[in-house]
Amino acid sequence: MLSECGTEARRPKVSDIAVECGTTSIGLAIEICPVMYTGYNETLLILNHKLDPACRATLDESVTPPVARFNFPLNMTHACGSVFRTISSAGTGIFSDFSNIQTVNISGVVRSIDPTTGTITYNAELKYYYSCAYPLEYLINNTQVDVSASSIAIKDNNGSFISTLSMELFTDINYTQLMVIPQLGIELRTSVYVEVKATNLTGQYHVLLDRCYASISPLPSNSSFFNLFVPCSKDRFTTMIENGDSQTARFHFPAFRFIEQQNETVSTYFLHCITRLCEKSTCSTFKQCTNRRKRNALDTPAVDITETYTLTSPEIITKAETTESKEKPLVAEEKEDDSTVGLGVAVGILAFACLVALSVSAIFYKRLRN
């Protein structure tokens, strides 16, 4: 009742609406007392002209002051008439390599319906606008990958479009066996299968890896790094399996070591992936190469990386030198071939010397008889 509102029985203010940009839904909370003061109640507040019961407000009197609540999912087909608009802009910071960083803006309005019949009304029309912006570019930092992968909720000043991004390492091309890295490291050239996946993501977006690289430091502001995959180029040993075609991206590469760690027992490094969420209809455009995009991707070092969108798990370790290394048989085989060739040459020379000695002896023997 309006009489129970006390000092909250007043004219509406801009601050009367609170917007929660959630990971899977958007929540609106509108103070109900100013609404009632103007001549309405929660049943007369309509979200984007939608009369569907799922889009109507519910009164929450458990909080002070009481509010009318709306809640709808982040899905273009069930977002209660919300408008989805994708905005592109130049990247900054860690994303400065990319000239097209996208943000999706979801907006709408809650309006009042005047119950007055007749020619005129004394009730002011109420309009409550809301808007949520969700970034579509994230840095996943697979720090010290060892046994198990982790998922972390991505938070932004305005909102997070997905609840989790995860990076996991596998030992097989079917991505069924998680990779367990022993303390002494994995063998060089061991195939490492990488999967980056989004969960609870609205269906109109796919996962696209813009860049994946390895570095000696977990935050490589001053660290050696090696590009496994960049927008317009990749290392010849990196194989892309799936990228930008679904809500999962996959690739694999053979385990390697950094030369500057050659005096250490093992080589330790970290994986980082810059991940874009692209609309299904536009993913292909981000796979296209331009001279500027290619030049930036190849020339720009890994700097200014922060933990804002970081996914962390233990390290990748490879054996630097070991008697069990896969390179050893190759070296041993070459030495064996060299020894065989040397022995053959020595035998040939010895045979030739013997032949000369026999010839000289025969000549002297004939002269002595004469």
Side-chain angles (χ1 to χ4, degrees):
M1 299 294 293
L2 182 61
S3 59
E4 299 174 351
C5 288
T7 58
E8 294 299 323
R10 54 170 174 78
R11 294 177 60 84
K13 297 179 182 178
V14 174
S15 59
D16 286 345
I17 182 172
V19 182
E20 181 182 358
C21 303
T23 58
T24 58
S25 63
I26 291 179
L28 310 177
I30 301 174
E31 291 190 25
I32 197 62
C33 286
V35 173
M36 297 177 67
Y37 180 84
T38 313
Y40 306 100
N41 58 36
E42 74 279 3
T43 65
L44 298 175
L45 296 178
I46 305 301
L47 176 61
N48 298 318
H49 301 289
K50 297 294 182 180
L51 300 178
D52 188 328
C55 301
R56 302 301 292 269
T58 57
L59 183 61
D60 183 2
E61 298 182 271
S62 65
V63 296
T64 303
V67 296
R69 294 192 183 277
F70 295 86
N71 191 278
F72 53 90
L74 291 177
N75 189 305
M76 290 185 69
T77 57
H78 301 95
C80 293
S82 298
V83 177
F84 285 66
R85 187 164 62 97
T86 302
I87 303 170
S88 298
S89 60
T92 58
I94 182 57
F95 305 121
S96 59
D97 293 3
F98 308 102
S99 59
N100 194 347
I101 300 299
Q102 290 188 313
T103 300
V104 61
N105 183 277
I106 304 173
S107 61
V109 60
V110 176
R111 289 185 171 89
S112 60
I113 295 180
D114 197 331
T116 304
T117 59
T119 306
I120 65 169
T121 182
Y122 294 97
N123 298 328
E125 182 183 17
L126 299 181
K127 292 182 181 180
Y128 296 93
Y129 292 91
Y130 65 90
S131 176
C132 284
Y134 294 86
L136 298 181
E137 192 91 3
Y138 298 92
L139 169 66
I140 304 180
N141 180 7
N142 194 355
T143 308
Q144 300 187 343
V145 178
D146 184 20
V147 177
S148 61
S150 303
S151 295
I152 187 170
I154 308 298
K155 297 297 181 184
D156 186 74
N157 291 336
N158 217 336
S160 169
F161 200 59
I162 59 177
S163 59
T164 57
L165 279 172
S166 64
M167 177 188 289
E168 293 181 318
L169 303 185
F170 295 85
T171 60
D172 62 309
I173 197 168
N174 294 321
Y175 289 83
T176 57
Q177 298 295 322
L178 286 172
M179 174 169 282
V180 178
I181 301 179
Q183 186 176 1
L184 296 179
I186 58 177
E187 294 284 352
L188 293 171
R189 302 183 183 179
T190 298
S191 293
V192 179
Y193 294 87
V194 184
E195 178 183 79
V196 176
K197 181 170 60 176
T199 56
N200 296 328
L201 176 63
T202 182
Q204 68 263 27
Y205 290 95
H206 284 175
V207 170
L208 177 68
L209 301 181
D210 263 336
R211 179 189 179 195
C212 289
Y213 58 100
S215 70
I216 292 177
S217 169
L219 297 177
S221 56
N222 294 298
S223 169
S224 297
F225 71 94
F226 176 72
N227 281 323
L228 294 168
F229 174 76
V230 291
C232 301
S233 178
K234 68 179 179 65
D235 177 65
R236 62 193 180 100
F237 294 115
T238 299
T239 302
M240 296 300 302
I241 299 176
E242 181 180 8
N243 193 24
D245 301 319
S246 70
Q247 295 185 359
T248 299
R250 290 173 171 175
F251 68 95
H252 65 85
F253 65 93
F256 55 87
R257 65 183 178 89
F258 279 87
I259 293 178
E260 65 183 83
Q261 295 179 330
Q262 61 185 353
N263 295 325
E264 300 178 16
T265 306
V266 296
S267 178
T268 302
Y269 49 90
F270 309 82
L271 288 182
H272 316 272
C273 282
I274 296 177
T275 305
R276 179 191 299 273
L277 301 180
C278 54
E279 291 181 297
K280 290 190 286 188
S281 60
T282 62
C283 282
S284 59
T285 62
F286 293 104
K287 297 181 181 181
Q288 298 175 1
C289 292
T290 62
N291 291 335
R292 180 179 183 274
R293 181 176 170 88
K294 184 173 183 179
R295 183 175 62 253
N296 286 345
L298 294 177
D299 295 345
T300 304
V303 296
D304 297 332
I305 292 180
T306 66
E307 294 185 354
T308 305
Y309 305 124
T310 301
L311 178 63
T312 304
S313 53
E315 77 255 7
I316 289 180
I317 306 173
T318 59
K319 297 179 181 179
E321 288 189 21
T322 171
T323 55
E324 299 176 359
S325 175
K326 294 181 180 179
E327 277 81 13
K328 292 299 183 182
L330 297 177
V331 176
E333 193 173 310
E334 291 173 1
K335 289 183 177 178
E336 185 179 350
D337 291 342
D338 291 342
S339 300
T340 303
V341 173
L343 179 61
V345 172
V347 171
I349 293 175
L350 182 59
F352 179 77
C354 291
L355 182 61
V356 171
L358 289 173
S359 300
V360 172
S361 299
I363 293 173
F364 275 109
Y365 178 76
K366 288 182 180 181
R367 288 182 178 180
L368 288 174
R369 291 192 63 180
N370 293 336

